[in-house]
Coordinates of all heavy atoms in Angstrom, one line a residue:
D1 N -148.9 -61.2 -139.3 CA -148.1 -61.2 -140.5 C -148.1 -59.7 -141.1 O -148.9 -59.0 -140.9 CB -148.8 -62.0 -141.6 CG -148.4 -63.4 -141.4 OD1 -147.5 -63.8 -140.7 OD2 -149.2 -64.3 -141.9
K2 N -146.9 -59.5 -141.8 CA -146.7 -58.1 -142.3 C -146.9 -58.3 -143.8 O -146.6 -59.3 -144.4 CB -145.3 -57.7 -141.9 CG -145.2 -57.5 -140.4 CD -144.0 -56.5 -140.2 CE -143.8 -56.2 -138.8 NZ -144.5 -56.7 -137.7
F3 N -147.2 -57.1 -144.5 CA -147.3 -57.1 -146.0 C -146.0 -56.6 -146.4 O -145.4 -55.6 -145.9 CB -148.4 -56.2 -146.4 CG -148.6 -56.1 -147.8 CD1 -149.1 -57.2 -148.5 CD2 -148.3 -55.0 -148.6 CE1 -149.3 -57.1 -149.9 CE2 -148.5 -54.9 -149.9 CZ -149.0 -56.0 -150.6
V4 N -145.3 -57.3 -147.3 CA -144.0 -56.9 -147.9 C -144.0 -56.6 -149.2 O -144.6 -57.3 -150.1 CB -143.0 -58.1 -147.6 CG1 -141.6 -57.8 -148.1 CG2 -142.9 -58.5 -146.1
I5 N -143.4 -55.4 -149.6 CA -143.3 -54.9 -151.0 C -141.9 -54.9 -151.4 O -141.0 -54.2 -150.7 CB -143.9 -53.5 -151.2 CG1 -145.4 -53.5 -150.7 CG2 -143.7 -53.0 -152.6 CD1 -145.9 -52.1 -150.8
G6 N -141.5 -55.7 -152.4 CA -140.2 -55.7 -153.0 C -140.3 -54.8 -154.2 O -141.2 -55.0 -155.1
I7 N -139.3 -53.9 -154.4 CA -139.4 -53.0 -155.6 C -138.0 -53.0 -156.3 O -136.9 -53.1 -155.7 CB -139.8 -51.6 -155.2 CG1 -140.1 -50.8 -156.4 CG2 -138.9 -50.9 -154.3 CD1 -141.0 -49.6 -156.2
D8 N -138.0 -53.0 -157.6 CA -136.7 -53.0 -158.4 C -137.0 -52.3 -159.7 O -138.0 -52.4 -160.2 CB -136.4 -54.5 -158.8 CG -134.9 -54.5 -159.2 OD1 -134.4 -53.6 -159.9 OD2 -134.3 -55.5 -158.8
R9 N -136.0 -51.4 -160.1 CA -136.2 -50.7 -161.4 C -135.9 -51.6 -162.5 O -136.4 -51.3 -163.7 CB -135.1 -49.6 -161.4 CG -135.5 -48.5 -160.5 CD -134.5 -47.4 -160.5 NE -133.5 -47.3 -161.5 CZ -132.6 -46.4 -161.7 NH1 -132.5 -45.4 -160.7 NH2 -131.9 -46.3 -162.7
S10 N -135.4 -52.8 -162.4 CA -134.9 -53.6 -163.4 C -135.9 -54.7 -163.7 O -136.2 -55.6 -162.9 CB -133.6 -54.2 -163.1 OG -133.3 -55.2 -164.1
L11 N -136.6 -54.6 -164.9 CA -137.5 -55.7 -165.3 C -136.7 -57.0 -165.5 O -137.2 -58.1 -165.2 CB -138.2 -55.4 -166.5 CG -139.3 -56.3 -167.1 CD1 -140.3 -56.5 -165.9 CD2 -139.9 -55.7 -168.3
A12 N -135.5 -56.9 -166.0 CA -134.7 -58.1 -166.2 C -134.4 -58.9 -164.9 O -134.6 -60.1 -164.8 CB -133.4 -57.7 -166.8
R13 N -134.1 -58.2 -163.9 CA -133.9 -58.8 -162.6 C -135.2 -59.4 -162.0 O -135.3 -60.6 -161.6 CB -133.3 -57.8 -161.5 CG -131.9 -57.7 -161.6 CD -131.3 -56.9 -160.4 NE -131.8 -55.6 -160.3 CZ -131.3 -54.5 -160.8 NH1 -130.2 -54.6 -161.4 NH2 -131.8 -53.3 -160.7
L14 N -136.3 -58.7 -162.2 CA -137.5 -59.2 -161.7 C -138.0 -60.4 -162.5 O -138.6 -61.5 -161.9 CB -138.6 -58.2 -161.8 CG -138.5 -57.0 -160.7 CD1 -139.5 -55.8 -161.1 CD2 -138.9 -57.5 -159.4
E15 N -137.8 -60.5 -163.8 CA -138.2 -61.5 -164.6 C -137.4 -62.9 -164.4 O -137.8 -63.9 -164.7 CB -138.2 -61.2 -166.1 CG -139.2 -60.3 -166.5 CD -139.3 -59.9 -168.0 OE1 -138.2 -59.9 -168.6 OE2 -140.3 -59.6 -168.5
R16 N -136.3 -62.8 -163.6 CA -135.5 -63.9 -163.3 C -136.2 -64.6 -162.1 O -135.9 -65.7 -161.8 CB -134.0 -63.5 -162.8 CG -133.3 -63.2 -164.1 CD -131.8 -63.2 -163.7 NE -131.5 -62.1 -162.8 CZ -130.7 -61.0 -163.1 NH1 -130.4 -60.7 -164.3 NH2 -130.5 -60.1 -162.3
N17 N -137.2 -64.0 -161.5 CA -138.0 -64.6 -160.4 C -139.1 -65.3 -161.0 O -140.0 -64.6 -161.6 CB -138.4 -63.4 -159.4 CG -139.2 -64.0 -158.2 OD1 -140.3 -64.5 -158.4 ND2 -138.6 -64.0 -157.1
K18 N -139.2 -66.5 -160.8 CA -140.3 -67.4 -161.4 C -141.6 -66.9 -161.1 O -142.5 -66.8 -161.9 CB -140.2 -68.8 -161.1 CG -141.1 -69.8 -161.8 CD -140.8 -71.1 -161.3 CE -141.8 -72.2 -161.8 NZ -143.0 -71.8 -162.5
R19 N -141.9 -66.6 -159.9 CA -143.3 -66.1 -159.4 C -143.6 -64.8 -160.0 O -144.8 -64.7 -160.4 CB -143.3 -66.0 -157.9 CG -142.9 -67.3 -157.1 CD -144.3 -68.0 -156.7 NE -143.9 -69.1 -155.8 CZ -144.2 -70.3 -156.0 NH1 -145.1 -70.6 -156.9 NH2 -143.9 -71.3 -155.1
F20 N -142.7 -64.0 -160.2 CA -143.0 -62.6 -160.8 C -143.3 -62.9 -162.2 O -144.3 -62.3 -162.9 CB -141.9 -61.7 -160.6 CG -142.1 -60.4 -161.3 CD1 -142.8 -59.3 -160.6 CD2 -141.7 -60.1 -162.5 CE1 -143.0 -58.1 -161.2 CE2 -141.9 -58.8 -163.1 CZ -142.6 -57.9 -162.4
R21 N -142.5 -63.7 -162.9 CA -142.6 -63.9 -164.3 C -143.9 -64.8 -164.7 O -144.6 -64.4 -165.7 CB -141.4 -64.6 -164.8 CG -141.2 -64.9 -166.3 CD -140.0 -65.7 -166.7 NE -140.0 -67.0 -166.1 CZ -139.1 -67.5 -165.2 NH1 -138.2 -66.7 -164.8 NH2 -139.2 -68.7 -164.7
D22 N -144.2 -65.8 -163.9 CA -145.2 -66.6 -164.3 C -146.5 -66.4 -163.6 O -147.5 -67.0 -163.9 CB -144.9 -68.1 -164.0 CG -143.6 -68.6 -164.8 OD1 -143.3 -68.0 -165.9 OD2 -142.9 -69.6 -164.3
G23 N -146.5 -65.5 -162.6 CA -147.7 -65.2 -161.9 C -147.9 -66.1 -160.6 O -147.0 -66.9 -160.4
P24 N -148.9 -65.8 -159.9 CA -149.0 -66.5 -158.6 C -149.3 -68.1 -158.8 O -149.8 -68.4 -159.7 CB -150.1 -65.7 -157.9 CG -151.0 -65.3 -159.0 CD -150.0 -65.0 -160.1
G25 N -148.9 -68.8 -157.7 CA -149.3 -70.1 -157.6 C -150.7 -70.2 -156.8 O -151.4 -69.2 -156.6
K26 N -151.1 -71.4 -156.6 CA -152.4 -71.6 -156.0 C -152.4 -70.9 -154.6 O -151.5 -71.0 -153.8 CB -152.7 -73.1 -155.8 CG -154.0 -73.3 -155.3 CD -154.3 -74.9 -155.3 CE -155.8 -75.1 -154.8 NZ -156.1 -76.6 -154.7
G27 N -153.5 -70.1 -154.3 CA -153.6 -69.4 -153.0 C -152.8 -68.1 -152.9 O -152.7 -67.6 -151.9
E28 N -152.1 -67.7 -154.0 CA -151.2 -66.5 -154.0 C -151.9 -65.4 -154.7 O -152.7 -65.6 -155.6 CB -149.9 -66.7 -154.6 CG -149.1 -67.8 -153.9 CD -147.8 -68.2 -154.5 OE1 -147.5 -67.4 -155.6 OE2 -147.0 -69.0 -154.1
T29 N -151.5 -64.2 -154.3 CA -152.0 -63.0 -155.0 C -151.2 -62.7 -156.3 O -150.1 -63.1 -156.3 CB -152.1 -61.8 -154.0 OG1 -150.7 -61.6 -153.7 CG2 -152.9 -62.0 -152.9
K30 N -151.7 -62.0 -157.2 CA -150.9 -61.6 -158.4 C -149.6 -60.8 -157.9 O -149.7 -59.9 -157.0 CB -151.8 -60.7 -159.3 CG -151.1 -60.2 -160.5 CD -151.4 -61.1 -161.7 CE -150.8 -60.4 -163.0 NZ -149.6 -61.1 -163.4
G31 N -148.6 -61.1 -158.6 CA -147.3 -60.4 -158.2 C -146.7 -61.1 -157.1 O -145.6 -60.5 -156.7
G32 N -147.2 -62.1 -156.4 CA -146.5 -62.8 -155.3 C -145.3 -63.5 -155.7 O -145.1 -63.8 -156.8
A33 N -144.4 -63.6 -154.7 CA -143.2 -64.4 -154.9 C -143.1 -65.5 -153.9 O -142.2 -65.6 -153.2 CB -142.1 -63.5 -154.8
G34 N -144.2 -66.3 -153.8 CA -144.1 -67.4 -152.9 C -145.0 -67.3 -151.7 O -145.2 -68.1 -150.9
S35 N -145.6 -66.1 -151.5 CA -146.4 -65.8 -150.3 C -147.5 -64.8 -150.6 O -147.2 -63.9 -151.5 CB -145.4 -65.3 -149.2 OG -146.2 -64.9 -148.1
S36 N -148.5 -64.9 -150.0 CA -149.7 -63.9 -150.3 C -149.4 -62.6 -149.7 O -150.1 -61.7 -150.0 CB -151.0 -64.5 -149.8 OG -150.9 -64.7 -148.4
N37 N -148.4 -62.4 -148.8 CA -148.2 -61.2 -148.3 C -146.9 -60.6 -148.9 O -146.4 -59.5 -148.4 CB -147.9 -61.2 -146.8 CG -146.7 -62.0 -146.3 OD1 -146.3 -62.9 -147.1 ND2 -146.2 -61.7 -145.2
L38 N -146.4 -61.0 -149.9 CA -145.3 -60.4 -150.7 C -145.7 -60.0 -152.1 O -146.2 -60.8 -152.8 CB -144.1 -61.5 -150.7 CG -142.9 -61.1 -151.5 CD1 -142.3 -59.8 -151.0 CD2 -141.9 -62.2 -151.6
V39 N -145.4 -58.9 -152.5 CA -145.6 -58.4 -153.8 C -144.2 -57.8 -154.4 O -143.6 -57.0 -153.7 CB -146.7 -57.4 -153.9 CG1 -146.8 -56.7 -155.2 CG2 -148.0 -57.8 -153.4
L40 N -143.9 -58.1 -155.6 CA -142.8 -57.6 -156.2 C -143.2 -56.6 -157.4 O -144.1 -57.0 -158.1 CB -141.9 -58.7 -157.0 CG -141.3 -59.7 -156.0 CD1 -140.6 -60.8 -156.8 CD2 -140.4 -59.1 -155.0
L41 N -142.7 -55.4 -157.3 CA -143.1 -54.3 -158.3 C -141.9 -53.8 -159.0 O -140.8 -53.8 -158.4 CB -143.7 -53.2 -157.5 CG -144.9 -53.5 -156.6 CD1 -145.2 -52.3 -155.7 CD2 -146.1 -53.8 -157.4
R42 N -142.1 -53.4 -160.3 CA -141.1 -52.7 -161.0 C -141.4 -51.2 -160.8 O -142.5 -50.7 -161.0 CB -141.2 -53.0 -162.5 CG -140.1 -52.3 -163.3 CD -140.1 -52.7 -164.7 NE -139.1 -52.0 -165.4 CZ -139.2 -51.6 -166.6 NH1 -140.3 -51.8 -167.4 NH2 -138.2 -50.9 -167.3
G43 N -140.3 -50.5 -160.4 CA -140.5 -49.0 -160.2 C -139.4 -48.6 -159.3 O -138.3 -49.1 -159.3
T44 N -139.5 -47.4 -158.8 CA -138.5 -46.8 -157.9 C -139.0 -46.6 -156.5 O -140.3 -46.4 -156.2 CB -138.2 -45.3 -158.4 OG1 -139.2 -44.5 -158.2 CG2 -137.7 -45.4 -159.9
C45 N -138.1 -46.6 -155.5 CA -138.5 -46.5 -154.2 C -139.1 -45.1 -153.9 O -140.0 -45.0 -153.1 CB -137.3 -46.6 -153.2 SG -136.8 -48.4 -153.1
V46 N -138.6 -44.1 -154.5 CA -139.2 -42.6 -154.3 C -140.5 -42.7 -154.7 O -141.4 -42.1 -153.9 CB -138.3 -41.7 -154.9 CG1 -138.9 -40.3 -154.8 CG2 -136.9 -41.7 -154.5
D47 N -140.9 -43.3 -155.7 CA -142.4 -43.3 -156.2 C -143.2 -44.1 -155.1 O -144.3 -43.6 -154.8 CB -142.6 -43.8 -157.5 CG -142.0 -43.0 -158.7 OD1 -141.8 -41.8 -158.4 OD2 -141.7 -43.6 -159.8
L48 N -142.7 -45.1 -154.7 CA -143.4 -45.9 -153.7 C -143.5 -45.2 -152.4 O -144.7 -45.2 -151.7 CB -142.7 -47.3 -153.5 CG -143.3 -48.2 -152.4 CD1 -144.8 -48.6 -152.8 CD2 -142.5 -49.4 -152.1
W49 N -142.4 -44.7 -151.9 CA -142.5 -43.8 -150.7 C -143.5 -42.7 -150.7 O -144.2 -42.6 -149.8 CB -141.1 -43.4 -150.3 CG -140.0 -44.4 -150.1 CD1 -140.2 -45.6 -149.7 CD2 -138.6 -44.2 -150.2 NE1 -139.0 -46.2 -149.5 CE2 -138.1 -45.3 -149.9 CE3 -137.9 -43.1 -150.6 CZ2 -136.6 -45.6 -149.8 CZ3 -136.4 -43.4 -150.6 CH2 -135.9 -44.5 -150.2
R50 N -143.5 -42.0 -151.9 CA -144.5 -40.9 -152.0 C -146.0 -41.4 -151.9 O -146.7 -40.8 -151.3 CB -144.2 -40.2 -153.3 CG -145.0 -38.9 -153.6 CD -144.7 -38.2 -154.7 NE -143.4 -37.6 -154.7 CZ -142.3 -38.0 -155.5 NH1 -142.6 -38.9 -156.4 NH2 -141.2 -37.5 -155.4
S51 N -146.2 -42.5 -152.6 CA -147.5 -43.0 -152.7 C -148.0 -43.6 -151.2 O -149.0 -43.3 -150.8 CB -147.6 -44.2 -153.6 OG -147.4 -43.7 -154.9
V52 N -147.0 -44.2 -150.5 CA -147.4 -44.7 -149.2 C -147.6 -43.6 -148.4 O -148.5 -43.6 -147.5 CB -146.2 -45.7 -148.7 CG1 -146.4 -46.0 -147.3 CG2 -146.2 -46.9 -149.6
W53 N -146.7 -42.5 -148.4 CA -146.9 -41.3 -147.5 C -148.3 -40.6 -147.8 O -149.0 -40.3 -146.9 CB -145.7 -40.4 -147.7 CG -145.8 -39.2 -146.8 CD1 -145.5 -39.1 -145.5 CD2 -146.1 -37.9 -147.2 NE1 -145.7 -37.8 -145.1 CE2 -146.1 -37.0 -146.1 CE3 -146.6 -37.3 -148.5 CZ2 -146.3 -35.7 -146.1 CZ3 -146.9 -35.9 -148.4 CH2 -146.7 -35.2 -147.4
E54 N -148.6 -40.4 -149.1 CA -149.8 -39.8 -149.5 C -151.0 -40.6 -149.1 O -152.1 -40.0 -148.6 CB -149.9 -39.6 -151.0 CG -149.0 -38.5 -151.5 CD -148.9 -38.4 -152.9 OE1 -149.4 -39.3 -153.7 OE2 -148.2 -37.4 -153.4
E55 N -150.9 -41.9 -149.0 CA -152.1 -42.8 -148.6 C -152.2 -42.9 -147.1 O -153.2 -43.4 -146.6 CB -152.0 -44.1 -149.3 CG -152.3 -44.0 -150.8 CD -153.6 -43.5 -151.1 OE1 -154.6 -43.9 -150.5 OE2 -153.7 -42.6 -152.1
G56 N -151.2 -42.5 -146.4 CA -151.1 -42.7 -144.9 C -151.0 -44.0 -144.4 O -151.4 -44.3 -143.3
W57 N -150.3 -44.8 -145.1 CA -150.0 -46.2 -144.6 C -149.1 -46.2 -143.4 O -148.2 -45.3 -143.4 CB -149.4 -47.1 -145.7 CG -150.3 -47.5 -146.9 CD1 -151.5 -47.0 -147.1 CD2 -149.9 -48.3 -147.9 NE1 -151.9 -47.5 -148.4 CE2 -151.0 -48.4 -148.8 CE3 -148.8 -49.1 -148.3 CZ2 -151.0 -49.2 -150.0 CZ3 -148.8 -49.8 -149.4 CH2 -149.8 -49.8 -150.3
E58 N -149.3 -47.1 -142.6 CA -148.3 -47.3 -141.5 C -147.3 -48.2 -141.9 O -147.5 -49.4 -142.2 CB -149.1 -47.8 -140.2 CG -148.2 -47.9 -138.9 CD -149.1 -48.5 -137.8 OE1 -150.3 -48.1 -137.7 OE2 -148.5 -49.1 -137.0
V59 N -146.1 -47.8 -141.7 CA -144.9 -48.6 -142.1 C -144.2 -49.1 -140.9 O -143.7 -48.3 -140.1 CB -144.0 -47.9 -143.1 CG1 -142.7 -48.7 -143.4 CG2 -144.6 -47.4 -144.2
A60 N -144.0 -50.4 -140.7 CA -143.4 -50.9 -139.6 C -141.8 -51.0 -139.6 O -141.1 -50.6 -138.7 CB -143.8 -52.4 -139.3
E61 N -141.3 -51.2 -140.8 CA -139.9 -51.3 -141.0 C -139.5 -51.1 -142.5 O -140.3 -51.3 -143.3 CB -139.4 -52.8 -140.7 CG -139.6 -53.2 -139.3 CD -139.2 -54.6 -139.0 OE1 -138.1 -55.0 -139.5 OE2 -140.0 -55.4 -138.4
H62 N -138.3 -50.6 -142.6 CA -137.7 -50.4 -144.0 C -136.5 -51.2 -144.1 O -135.7 -51.3 -143.2 CB -137.3 -49.0 -144.3 CG -138.5 -48.0 -144.1 ND1 -139.4 -47.7 -145.0 CD2 -138.9 -47.2 -143.0 CE1 -140.2 -46.8 -144.7 NE2 -140.0 -46.5 -143.3
Y63 N -136.2 -51.7 -145.3 CA -134.9 -52.3 -145.6 C -134.5 -51.9 -147.0 O -135.3 -52.0 -147.9 CB -135.0 -53.8 -145.6 CG -135.3 -54.5 -144.2 CD1 -136.5 -54.8 -143.8 CD2 -134.3 -54.7 -143.2 CE1 -136.8 -55.2 -142.5 CE2 -134.4 -55.2 -142.1 CZ -135.8 -55.5 -141.7 OH -135.9 -55.9 -140.5
L64 N -133.3 -51.4 -147.1 CA -132.8 -51.0 -148.4 C -131.6 -51.9 -148.6 O -130.6 -51.9 -148.1 CB -132.2 -49.6 -148.4 CG -133.2 -48.5 -148.1 CD1 -132.5 -47.1 -148.1 CD2 -134.3 -48.5 -149.1
L65 N -132.0 -52.9 -149.5 CA -131.0 -54.1 -149.7 C -130.4 -53.8 -151.2 O -130.6 -54.7 -152.1 CB -131.8 -55.4 -149.7 CG -132.5 -55.6 -148.3 CD1 -133.2 -56.9 -148.4 CD2 -131.4 -55.6 -147.2
Y66 N -129.7 -52.8 -151.4 CA -129.0 -52.5 -152.7 C -127.7 -51.9 -152.4 O -127.6 -51.0 -151.8 CB -129.9 -51.6 -153.4 CG -129.6 -51.5 -154.9 CD1 -130.0 -52.5 -155.8 CD2 -128.9 -50.4 -155.3 CE1 -129.6 -52.4 -157.2 CE2 -128.5 -50.4 -156.7 CZ -128.9 -51.3 -157.6 OH -128.6 -51.3 -158.9
P67 N -126.6 -52.4 -153.1 CA -125.3 -51.8 -152.9 C -125.3 -50.5 -153.5 O -126.1 -50.1 -154.4 CB -124.6 -52.9 -153.6 CG -125.4 -53.6 -154.6 CD -126.7 -53.6 -154.0
N68 N -124.3 -49.7 -153.2 CA -124.2 -48.4 -153.7 C -123.3 -48.5 -155.0 O -122.1 -48.6 -154.9 CB -123.3 -47.5 -152.7 CG -123.2 -46.1 -153.2 OD1 -123.6 -45.8 -154.2 ND2 -122.7 -45.2 -152.4
P69 N -124.0 -48.5 -156.1 CA -123.3 -48.6 -157.4 C -122.6 -47.4 -157.9 O -122.0 -47.3 -158.9 CB -124.4 -49.1 -158.3 CG -125.6 -48.4 -157.8 CD -125.4 -48.3 -156.4
Y70 N -122.7 -46.3 -157.2 CA -122.1 -45.0 -157.7 C -121.2 -44.4 -156.6 O -121.5 -43.6 -155.9 CB -123.3 -44.0 -157.9 CG -124.3 -44.5 -159.0 CD1 -125.5 -45.0 -158.5 CD2 -124.0 -44.6 -160.2 CE1 -126.5 -45.4 -159.3 CE2 -124.9 -45.0 -161.2 CZ -126.2 -45.4 -160.7 OH -127.1 -45.9 -161.6
P71 N -120.0 -45.0 -156.6 CA -119.0 -44.5 -155.5 C -118.5 -43.1 -155.7 O -117.9 -42.6 -154.8 CB -117.9 -45.6 -155.6 CG -118.0 -46.0 -157.0 CD -119.4 -45.9 -157.5
K72 N -118.7 -42.4 -156.9 CA -118.2 -41.1 -157.1 C -119.0 -40.1 -156.4 O -120.2 -40.1 -156.4 CB -118.1 -40.8 -158.6 CG -117.3 -41.8 -159.4 CD -117.4 -41.5 -160.9 CE -116.7 -42.5 -161.7 NZ -117.0 -42.4 -163.1
E73 N -118.3 -39.2 -155.8 CA -118.9 -38.0 -155.1 C -119.9 -37.2 -156.1 O -120.8 -36.7 -155.7 CB -118.0 -37.2 -154.4 CG -118.7 -36.1 -153.5 CD -117.7 -35.5 -152.5 OE1 -116.7 -36.0 -152.2 OE2 -118.0 -34.3 -152.2
S74 N -119.4 -37.1 -157.3 CA -120.2 -36.4 -158.3 C -121.6 -37.1 -158.6 O -122.5 -36.4 -159.1 CB -119.5 -36.3 -159.6 OG -119.2 -37.5 -160.1
D75 N -121.8 -38.2 -158.2 CA -123.0 -38.9 -158.4 C -123.8 -39.1 -157.2 O -124.6 -40.0 -156.9 CB -122.7 -40.4 -159.0 CG -122.2 -40.3 -160.4 OD1 -122.6 -39.4 -161.1 OD2 -121.5 -41.3 -160.7
L76 N -123.6 -38.2 -156.1 CA -124.3 -38.2 -154.8 C -125.8 -38.3 -155.1 O -126.4 -39.0 -154.3 CB -123.9 -37.0 -154.0 CG -124.7 -36.8 -152.7 CD1 -124.2 -38.0 -151.8 CD2 -124.4 -35.5 -152.1
R77 N -126.4 -37.6 -155.9 CA -127.9 -37.7 -156.1 C -128.4 -39.0 -156.5 O -129.5 -39.3 -156.4 CB -128.3 -36.6 -157.0 CG -128.1 -35.2 -156.5 CD -128.5 -34.1 -157.5 NE -129.9 -34.1 -157.8 CZ -130.9 -33.5 -157.1 NH1 -130.6 -32.9 -156.0 NH2 -132.2 -33.6 -157.4
K78 N -127.5 -39.8 -157.0 CA -127.9 -41.2 -157.4 C -127.8 -42.1 -156.2 O -128.3 -43.4 -156.2 CB -127.0 -41.7 -158.5 CG -127.2 -40.9 -159.8 CD -126.2 -41.6 -160.8 CE -126.3 -40.7 -162.1 NZ -125.2 -41.2 -163.1
R79 N -127.3 -41.7 -155.1 CA -127.2 -42.5 -153.9 C -128.4 -42.4 -153.0 O -129.1 -41.3 -153.1 CB -125.9 -42.1 -153.0 CG -124.7 -42.4 -153.8 CD -123.5 -41.9 -153.0 NE -122.3 -41.9 -153.7 CZ -121.2 -41.5 -153.3 NH1 -121.0 -41.0 -152.1 NH2 -120.0 -41.5 -154.1
W80 N -128.8 -43.3 -152.3 CA -130.0 -43.2 -151.4 C -129.9 -42.0 -150.5 O -130.9 -41.2 -150.4 CB -130.2 -44.4 -150.7 CG -130.6 -45.7 -151.4 CD1 -129.9 -46.8 -151.5 CD2 -131.8 -45.7 -152.2 NE1 -130.5 -47.6 -152.4 CE2 -131.6 -47.0 -152.8 CE3 -132.8 -44.9 -152.5 CZ2 -132.6 -47.5 -153.7 CZ3 -133.7 -45.4 -153.4 CH2 -133.7 -46.7 -154.0
H81 N -128.9 -41.8 -149.8 CA -128.8 -40.7 -148.9 C -128.7 -39.3 -149.5 O -128.9 -38.3 -148.8 CB -127.6 -40.9 -147.8 CG -126.2 -40.9 -148.5 ND1 -125.8 -42.0 -149.2 CD2 -125.4 -39.9 -148.7 CE1 -124.6 -41.7 -149.7 NE2 -124.3 -40.4 -149.4
G82 N -128.5 -39.3 -150.8 CA -128.4 -37.9 -151.4 C -129.6 -37.7 -152.4 O -129.6 -36.7 -153.0
S83 N -130.5 -38.7 -152.5 CA -131.7 -38.5 -153.3 C -132.6 -37.5 -152.7 O -132.9 -37.4 -151.5 CB -132.4 -39.9 -153.4 OG -133.7 -39.8 -153.9
P84 N -133.3 -36.7 -153.6 CA -134.2 -35.7 -153.1 C -135.4 -36.4 -152.4 O -136.1 -35.9 -151.6 CB -134.7 -35.1 -154.3 CG -133.7 -35.3 -155.4 CD -133.1 -36.6 -155.0
G85 N -135.7 -37.7 -152.7 CA -136.9 -38.3 -152.1 C -136.5 -39.1 -150.8 O -137.3 -39.6 -150.2
F86 N -135.2 -39.0 -150.3 CA -134.8 -39.8 -149.1 C -135.5 -39.3 -148.0 O -135.8 -40.1 -147.1 CB -133.3 -39.7 -149.0 CG -132.7 -40.6 -148.0 CD1 -132.8 -42.0 -148.2 CD2 -132.1 -40.2 -146.8 CE1 -132.3 -42.9 -147.3 CE2 -131.6 -41.1 -145.9 CZ -131.7 -42.4 -146.1
P87 N -135.8 -38.0 -147.7 CA -136.6 -37.5 -146.6 C -137.9 -38.3 -146.4 O -138.4 -38.4 -145.4 CB -136.7 -36.1 -146.7 CG -135.5 -35.7 -147.6 CD -135.3 -36.8 -148.5
L88 N -138.6 -38.6 -147.6 CA -139.8 -39.4 -147.5 C -139.7 -40.7 -146.7 O -140.6 -41.1 -146.0 CB -140.3 -39.7 -148.9 CG -140.9 -38.6 -149.7 CD1 -141.0 -39.1 -151.1 CD2 -142.1 -38.2 -149.1
L89 N -138.6 -41.4 -146.7 CA -138.3 -42.5 -146.0 C -138.4 -42.3 -144.5 O -139.1 -43.1 -143.8 CB -136.9 -43.2 -146.3 CG -136.6 -44.5 -145.6 CD1 -137.4 -45.6 -146.0 CD2 -135.1 -44.8 -145.9
F90 N -137.9 -41.2 -144.0 CA -138.0 -40.8 -142.7 C -139.4 -40.3 -142.3 O -139.8 -40.6 -141.1 CB -136.9 -39.8 -142.3 CG -135.4 -40.2 -142.4 CD1 -134.7 -40.0 -143.5 CD2 -135.0 -41.1 -141.4 CE1 -133.4 -40.5 -143.6 CE2 -133.7 -41.7 -141.5 CZ -133.0 -41.3 -142.7
A91 N -140.1 -39.7 -143.2 CA -141.4 -39.2 -142.9 C -142.3 -40.4 -142.7 O -143.4 -40.3 -142.0 CB -141.9 -38.4 -144.1
L92 N -142.0 -41.5 -143.3 CA -142.9 -42.8 -143.1 C -142.7 -43.4 -141.7 O -143.6 -44.2 -141.4 CB -142.6 -43.7 -144.3 CG -143.0 -43.3 -145.6 CD1 -142.5 -44.3 -146.7 CD2 -144.5 -43.2 -145.7
G93 N -141.7 -43.1 -141.1 CA -141.3 -43.7 -139.8 C -140.4 -44.8 -139.8 O -140.0 -45.4 -140.8

């Protein structure tokens, strides 16, 4: 089994998830969303990537499941591929 971290900046979106809002069910860890190997966090990916890199965690896979809400070229730094923290994703493997 793999440990999965779901991260979202929006507390409103996270609170729509019953497990995040109400806490774990029987046999689940705090923050779980139906499974003991899943944790949902409020935050930013860059902060998570930096922490994971600093702690030396081994990362098997990455998934960025978020549409690009900033189609303007002037907002490049708000896009994943234009973010200053994006190289951290590659540093994690």
Side-chain angles (χ1 to χ4, degrees):
D1 282 341
K2 299 200 180 352
F3 184 69
V4 178
I5 299 172
I7 189 163
D8 196 321
R9 288 177 19 177
S10 169
L11 182 59
R13 278 191 297 265
L14 288 169
E15 286 182 335
R16 287 192 297 251
N17 182 289
K18 181 179 179 351
R19 302 260 190 227
F20 181 85
R21 185 182 64 244
D22 298 341
K26 186 175 181 180
E28 296 176 2
T29 59
K30 178 93 174 103
S35 176
S36 62
N37 69 332
L38 172 63
V39 174
L40 297 176
L41 303 174
R42 181 178 181 212
T44 67
C45 285
V46 174
D47 292 337
L48 178 66
W49 295 336
R50 184 176 297 114
S51 297
V52 168
W53 182 76
E54 288 173 353
E55 293 297 319
W57 288 7
E58 184 179 329
V59 177
E61 298 176 46
H62 302 275
Y63 293 95
L64 298 177
L65 305 174
Y66 194 78
N68 182 0
Y70 304 103
K72 298 177 189 169
E73 190 167 328
S74 62
D75 292 328
L76 177 64
R77 293 179 62 85
K78 295 178 184 176
R79 299 177 188 175
W80 292 118
H81 64 277
S83 165
F86 194 63
L88 285 169
L89 179 66
F90 294 103
L92 294 173

